[in-house]
Amino acid sequence: MTLAAATELATATNESLANISNTLIYSAMAVYTLAFFAYITEWLFGSRSKVARTAAALTAKDGAATAQGPAVAVKSAGGTAVLERPKVVVRSAAGARDVPDGPGAHGGDEKGDLYGRIAVSLSVLGFLLALGGVIARAASVQRAPWGNMYEFNITFSTVAVGVYLLLLALKKNVRWLGLFLTTTVLLDLGLAVTVLYTASDQLVPALHSYWLYIHVSTAIFCGAVFYVGAVGTLLYLFKDSYENKLASGGKPGRFATSVLERLPASASLDKFSYRINAAVFPLWTFTIIAGAIWAESAWGRYWGWDPKETWSFITWVAYACYLHARSTAGWKGRKAAYIALIAFGCWLFNYYGVNIFVSGKHSYSGV
C-alpha cells in the first residue's frame, strides 16, 4: 500500500469515527429527552400522592402549618381516612430546624416511583451512549477529546451525569437531581451540536503533552461536581425560604408546597452542597497547579495572568471564601450559599465567557 493510499484510508477511518461519535451524541440526546419526560412524570404522579395532598392540606387552613403539623382527615370511599404528616428521618444539623426530609419527587406514589426508576435507567443508557460518543471522538482525532469547546461540552455533560449516577449507586438520596440535571444536560448538548460544533482536527503543538490528560480531565471533573453542588445550593435557598415562610406563619402557594415538601430539608441540602464543594476543592487546587506546570512546559513560565489563569484563580478564591464562610459565625446558611453560587458563576464565566469573548493564550482551543 502506498503512502498516499494509507493516508487516504486513515482519513476515511477518522471521518467514519467522527460520524459515529456524532450519531452517538444525538442518540444520547434522544434518550436524555425520554429521561426528562420520565422525570417530569415522576414529579406529576408525586403531586397527586397522599404525601403531596397532606402537605397541601397542612398549608390550606389557618395560613400555614408548623413543621410537625397535625393529621389530616380525607374522605375516601364513603368513609374518612386519616393521613398523618409524612415522617421521614431527620438529617438536619445541630441547632437547625427539626424539619424532616421529603420523600423525593415520587412523593411515596408507586407509579411515580416506577417512572423515577425508568428515568434513572434511561439516564444510564444516555450516559453510556454519550460516553461512547466521547470515546469515538477521541479515536477519530487520536488524542484526548478536549481540544475545543465542543469536545469539552460533550465530555462535561457526560461526566456530570456520571457523578449523579455514582451518587445514586452509593445509595445517596439524590434522585431529586434528575430532572434538573437532564434539563441542563440537554441544553448543554444542544448548544454543543448547534453553536459550538467543530470538526475533528489536530491540536496545536503547545497542547501535545501528557498534561492535557491530567489538567483538562481534572478541570472537567471539578466543573461537573461544582455543577451538582450549585444545583443543591440553589434548591437549598428555595427550601430555606419555604421553611422560613412556614415558621413565620406565612402561606406558601400550593405548587411550591407540593414541590418543596418532597425535597430534602434545607439543612440536608445545605450539608449536601457543602460536602460536594469541600470534597472537590482540593482537586480544583491541583487543577490550577497542574495548569501552571503545563504552562511552564509549553510557554516557559508558570503563571502569566492570562485571562483563563486569572479566572481560574478567581474561582479558587471564591470557593475558598465559601468554605471559610461555612465555618464562620454569621455567614453560615444563606450568605454562604450566595457565595457558592457566585463561585460557580465564576467557573461558568471562566469557561464560556473567557473562551468566547476574551483573547489570550488559551484562545487556540477555538469554538
Side-chain angles (χ1 to χ4, degrees):
M1 181 181 293
T2 64
L3 179 60
T7 302
E8 184 178 349
L9 177 61
T11 301
T13 301
N14 291 341
E15 290 179 355
S16 176
L17 288 171
N19 291 333
I20 291 173
S21 172
N22 295 339
T23 300
L24 288 172
I25 294 299
Y26 278 107
S27 298
M29 293 178 64
V31 174
Y32 283 141
T33 301
L34 294 177
F36 169 80
F37 285 114
Y39 282 120
I40 284 285
T41 305
E42 178 188 17
W43 280 93
L44 290 176
F45 273 109
S47 68
R48 301 174 183 177
S49 68
K50 292 181 178 180
V51 171
R53 292 201 304 270
T54 301
L58 287 171
T59 57
K61 295 182 178 181
D62 301 325
T66 62
Q68 303 296 328
V72 178
V74 178
K75 293 183 178 180
S76 175
T80 301
V82 177
L83 299 180
E84 298 291 340
R85 180 177 177 81
K87 295 182 179 180
V88 189
V89 177
V90 177
R91 298 186 300 177
S92 57
R97 301 185 194 91
D98 188 23
V99 177
D101 285 346
H106 58 81
D109 182 85
E110 291 185 5
K111 288 186 177 179
D113 182 61
L114 174 61
Y115 277 100
R117 293 177 184 275
I118 292 173
V120 171
S121 299
L122 290 170
S123 298
V124 172
L125 178 57
F127 167 77
L128 293 176
L129 289 170
L131 181 61
V134 172
I135 294 173
R137 177 76 176 196
S140 72
V141 293
Q142 300 178 1
R143 58 168 172 79
W146 310 316
N148 50 61
M149 290 183 68
Y150 168 74
E151 295 173 354
F152 192 103
N153 266 41
I154 62 175
T155 307
F156 169 77
S157 60
T158 302
V159 174
V161 176
V163 170
Y164 165 68
L165 295 176
L166 176 61
L167 291 172
L168 286 177
L170 294 174
K171 307 299 183 182
K172 303 299 182 181
N173 176 26
V174 294
R175 205 164 83 188
W176 44 269
L177 266 173
L179 178 59
F180 307 98
L181 180 70
T182 52
T183 302
T184 50
V185 163
L186 283 170
L187 291 174
D188 181 69
L189 290 176
L191 179 66
V193 300
T194 56
V195 178
L196 302 178
Y197 181 77
T198 304
S200 301
D201 199 3
Q202 294 303 312
L203 298 176
V204 297
L207 287 180
H208 286 287
S209 170
Y210 60 88
W211 284 105
L212 171 67
Y213 296 89
I214 300 173
H215 172 65
V216 183
S217 63
T218 55
I220 292 173
F221 180 77
C222 289
V225 177
F226 282 146
Y227 163 76
V228 172
V231 173
T233 300
L234 187 63
L235 293 178
Y236 156 74
L237 290 173
F238 282 108
K239 188 63 182 278
D240 184 64
S241 296
Y242 172 78
E243 291 176 1
N244 286 334
K245 194 166 188 177
L246 285 179
S248 62
K251 182 181 179 180
R254 294 188 63 180
F255 176 77
T257 298
S258 174
V259 172
L260 295 176
E261 277 288 325
R262 287 178 274 163
L263 291 176
S266 63
S268 297
L269 290 170
D270 184 41
K271 185 185 297 183
F272 168 78
S273 301
Y274 169 70
R275 288 177 174 176
I276 286 287
N277 290 325
V280 80
F281 180 74
L283 188 59
W284 180 248
T285 304
F286 170 77
T287 301
I288 296 176
I289 295 173
I293 296 173
W294 188 13
E296 195 279 333
S297 174
W299 302 315
R301 84 315 185 261
Y302 288 99
W303 196 267
W305 295 105
D306 179 77
K308 179 72 71 173
E309 297 168 348
T310 301
W311 277 96
S312 295
F313 179 69
I314 290 173
T315 302
W316 184 90
V317 171
Y319 274 107
C321 290
Y322 163 71
L323 296 177
H324 179 70
R326 285 289 275 100
S327 60
T328 303
W331 279 89
K332 296 180 180 179
R334 297 185 68 86
K335 290 182 179 179
Y338 291 137
I339 297 176
L341 292 180
I342 291 173
F344 184 67
C346 291
W347 187 91
L348 285 178
F349 181 79
N350 183 37
Y351 176 56
Y352 289 102
V354 172
N355 281 17
I356 296 175
F357 302 112
V358 183
S359 298
K361 284 186 174 296
H362 289 77
S363 298
Y364 49 69
S365 58
V367 174

